[in-house]
Amino acid sequence: QVQLVESGGGLVQAGGSLRLTCTASGNVHSINHMAWFRQPPGGQREQVAIIAADGDTRYADSVQGRFTISRDNARHTAHLQMNSLKPEDTGVYFCNADVVTTSSVQFEFAYWGQGTQVTVAA
């Protein structure tokens, strides 16, 4: 089995910063894409950042220039550095990873974390 656990959420003032961490554990052979999603209060879940195994990144327009996604393949972790936070960044942030397990080397399955709350106060 594989688990994803997020940490680093909390309450921050507008203009401040937070750093989220996602750690994968269990029967991990390798991880292809890792991504961060968020769901604002009353809104739809949306992808905010994604990073490929080779380090290529993509960002939602709303966070471009403010957020940075990174990963450490040796530790099976991903980070989301969030700077210049705005109240509209408030929501539950979820980690997503396309994981190849040791029992299915030619098949990848998408795993999700439980989410971590980020609240940006105006």
Side-chain angles (χ1 to χ4, degrees):
Q1 67 178 40
V2 174
Q3 289 184 314
L4 298 183
V5 178
E6 304 100 334
S7 63
L11 174 65
V12 66
Q13 299 289 336
S17 298
L18 285 173
R19 183 175 175 85
L20 306 183
T21 298
C22 171
T23 300
S25 62
N27 301 116
V28 179
H29 179 268
S30 61
I31 303 176
N32 292 321
H33 288 88
M34 301 188 78
W36 288 95
F37 290 71
R38 69 185 181 192
Q39 187 165 10
Q44 300 295 315
R45 186 175 296 189
E46 61 182 349
Q47 184 178 281
V48 298
I50 187 167
I51 183 168
D54 65 1
D56 287 344
T57 59
R58 298 287 188 275
Y59 298 93
D61 289 344
S62 59
V63 307
Q64 182 75 45
R66 299 187 298 118
F67 290 11
T68 302
I69 188 171
S70 60
R71 64 188 289 168
D72 184 336
N73 291 338
R75 293 175 170 82
H76 300 316
T77 62
H79 302 277
L80 186 67
Q81 179 67 46
M82 305 185 294
N83 298 326
S84 302
L85 283 162
K86 305 174 181 179
E88 52 262 44
D89 294 319
T90 293
V92 179
Y93 283 69
F94 298 90
C95 181
N96 169 260
D98 296 327
V99 179
V100 177
T101 65
T102 55
S103 61
S104 58
V105 175
Q106 62 180 307
F107 177 76
E108 67 181 56
F109 186 84
Y111 289 86
W112 292 86
Q114 296 280 11
T116 185
Q117 177 70 43
V118 171
T119 302
V120 183

